[in-house]
Amino acid sequence: MSELTGWDRRLSVVADGKGLVGYAGAVLLRRLADRAGLTAALAGVLPAGAGNGWRDRAVVVVQLAVAITLGAANLSDAEQLQAHHQGLFGPAVSDSTTRRTLQAMDADVLAKIARARAQVRRGVWSLLHLRPGGFPWLTIAGKQLHRWVVIDMDATIITAVSKKQGATATWKKTFGFHPLAAWCANTGECLAMLLRAGNAGSNTVADHLRVLGEALAQVPGALMAKILVRVDGAGATHGLHEHLRDLNTMRRTVRFTTGWTVTDEDEKAIARLPERAWETSLKQDGSLQEGYCVAELTGLNRREGWIKGMRLIVRRVKPSGRHTKDLTAFEKETGWKYSITATNINKMTRIPGSHQIQWLDVLHRHHAVVEDHVRTNKAMGLHNLPSKSWTINTAWMLTANLAADLDAWLRLLTLHDQEGLADAEPDTMRFRLYHLPARLAKHARSRWLRIDRSWPWAGAFVRPGRGSPPFQRSPDHPIPPRQGPGRRTTRSTPGPWNPEPPQRHAKTPPDTHGNKTG
């Protein structure tokens, strides 16, 4: 993967503009997908070419993921972005071809793609162990969670301004969808995402169990020994806690932290806490956070029916102005706002002090990074679902997750030592890398992509003294011939991936593709 940063970046802009390529950073993403094995893994699931004019469906999906990373918000945008790379990847995939590809991705195909993603992720995580610094283990308040894979779960709202299948009123009094997802806090990858109707519940146990199961299936077996699951208050259900408890085996340790809905019984238990029980909380860097306190509530709360060994940790803060209208009578009387964390952590292996309530409070508050993952995923294709069809939107959501994977892998494998880029926002990555122009130079049968070294920030990605390896098209995916009247010499059997085209004089139905944003 280190060769991905070895591109020579020289651009000689000429008046006629011949050979210029827009959005040259797409080459890094496409090359990463090919070398990581994603393209080949998808080729084992999706149909291959069957004649002139047929587009390999695996290449269609990969190219769509690359376009989403570049900023495509709908199928038309994806086609226009791919038009900039015709000299590299062949003619752009039409939006109708992309739509048919997504429409044919039913539940069985999506399950096969999930298994293919897990296989590719296993190889990528093996490379992460070999990079300088090793695998990105989390560090919380000065303590490294060595060998612990952290999974954060959260739901979000995707609004819609037009009537789409499954779009309903949401609990935030908006209109759209309410997907539930799980991210790996170590790498920033979206491991699993479930598209749900807008009126789906926040604490639906069945949905949490399904997404958690799909997320755990994405974790390589070698790293399944220590799993930490973090959920907000929607995870404080009997079913989820009991399921997480039952996941523990002789070879696997599963720990969790979830939010907790404060009830009258909880407030009565808090009132019985002596003042000496409160301790100053910690910041994320491990220093004291004056004015914020935590205490152990376990044992004082007598609510029955919860798993054995569960601990409750209460935190109190001075309420801000926006909290005033939400304060309970007890909170107004005491002058504090309270929140509770539920956890089954008594001790985490090889992490000294992991039983302390201050550190457990910091550990759960670090779950807030999931909001960054939600925001960045929305900036890469999930701000608005592009179609009226539920099936197409589900497939688009999966492709957006593939785009997030490519972006995360590029940062982790090649940009981890680049200051300001390893954790840059998607728009920053597009401006500084993905949207760079370049010149396509041809020599013999090789194609060389050259970017100007004087271009802003281009030098950060150039290894001094190294030449630029040629971009060569894989022999398994040759450039298909340009489409035109009479060019297609063979036809494939009509099916879900290649539906029968309409008759020449048939009445054209109204456009219901819904590819435009909104």
Side-chain angles (χ1 to χ4, degrees), residues 27-51:
V27 175
L28 296 177
L29 297 168
R30 175 60 190 277
R31 190 175 179 88
L32 174 60
D34 293 343
R35 298 196 61 185
L38 178 62
T39 307
L42 294 177
V45 176
L46 306 177

Side-chain angles (χ1 to χ4, degrees), residues 21-27 70 80-81 84-85 430 433-438:
V21 177
Y23 307 101
V27 175
L70 297 180
Q80 294 299 320
L81 285 171
H84 290 271
H85 309 123
R430 291 164 186 158
L433 177 62
Y434 296 151
H435 289 185
L436 290 179

Side-chain angles (χ1 to χ4, degrees), residues 429-447:
M429 290 291 292
R430 291 164 186 158
F431 176 64
R432 298 178 63 174
L433 177 62
Y434 296 151
H435 289 185
L436 290 179
R439 182 180 180 86
L440 182 63
K442 299 180 180 179
H443 176 70
R445 296 185 178 181
S446 300
R447 293 178 175 86

